[in-house]
Each structure stands twice: as C-alpha cells, then as structure tokens.
Amino acid sequence: MTLKSQERNDIVSYRLERARQTLKEAEDIGCLGYWNLAANRLYYASAALLIHSGIEASSHKGIVRMIGMIFVRQGILNPEDSQLIGRLFTMRQTGDYEDLFDWKESDVSPMYHPVEDYIGWIESIISTTEQHASFNDD
C-alpha cells in the first residue's frame, strides 16, 4: 500500500495517540486484575514508527523482526528496545493463546514505565525525522 505524505502523517499521529491510550487502558485493566489483557494492550506501541518509515510488516512477528533488522541495526533504537518489543510480543502471544496460563501483576506492571519511555522515544524519533525532512524541503 502506497500512502501519500499527509495520509502517512495522519496514520502515524493516530497510532501514536492510540499507543498512549493503549498504555492507559493497560494500566486501568491491570487495576481490575486482568493481567493477560493488560499484557496484550502493552504490545501495540511499535506500528507508528514502521508506518512513518514506509515499512510494511505483514504480521505481528514481522513487526518485531523489522524493528530489530532496521532500527536497531541502524542504531536508531537500542537492543533493549528490541528486547522490550520481543518481550511484549511474547507476553501478548502467551496471554492470548496459551492454555492454563495467566500473567500476574508482578509480570505486567513493571512493563508500564519502559513502554511509556519507548512510546516517548518513538515520538521523539518521528518528530526529529519530520523536522529534518521539512528542513530538506525548503
């Protein structure tokens, strides 16, 4: 799918907003004790960076792979960011599809702050590349 610049910017803005809302949802759901669902919600923070960069991933596993192959390899993200996304993906998969398994507060709640930092870092990367692009357009 080829997106026009404004369409891409609109989707990226939406995804960043949804990432922040999803983090809040995870915190709220966790307060109710639904830790599998909270773990599921934390995973959805990476798509904005891929869309902003014009990169398509056809699966959730593809998102994790692309983050590592492109952004970590280029030094845009650090290996810890890739590990965080991998951990969140595993938590999502396990919580959603494993029988007789439940995440606990002690597993999920420590993820809130790193996810919040990660979202902020993605916003910073996108903002910086948008500013750089606008300088090059002049």
Side-chain angles (χ1 to χ4, degrees), residues 4 6 11-12 16 29-30 46 49 62 64 75-76 78 82-83 95-96 130 135:
K4 294 180 183 173
Q6 186 57 50
I11 292 171
V12 168
L16 289 171
I29 291 165
S46 293
L49 184 58
V64 174
I76 296 168
N78 62 47
S82 181
Q83 291 170 357
D96 284 358
E130 285 175 348
F135 289 135

Side-chain angles (χ1 to χ4, degrees), residues 13-81:
S13 293
Y14 172 78
R15 292 291 178 114
L16 289 171
E17 180 183 328
R18 283 296 302 142
R20 290 271 179 212
Q21 289 174 348
T22 298
L23 176 59
K24 176 75 170 101
E25 290 170 4
E27 292 169 341
D28 291 347
I29 291 165
C31 288
L32 296 172
Y34 298 113
W35 297 108
N36 284 356
L37 187 55
N40 174 294
R41 302 311 300 155
L42 288 174
Y43 167 73
Y44 291 96
S46 293
L49 184 58
L50 294 176
I51 293 168
H52 172 73
S53 302
I55 299 167
E56 293 186 33
S58 59
S59 67
H60 294 295
K61 201 173 207 172
I63 289 172
V64 174
R65 189 172 27 250
M66 291 302 216
I67 291 291
M69 283 177 41
I70 296 170
F71 298 102
V72 173
R73 197 172 277 168
Q74 291 180 4
I76 296 168
L77 295 174
N78 62 47
E80 291 80 18
D81 296 322

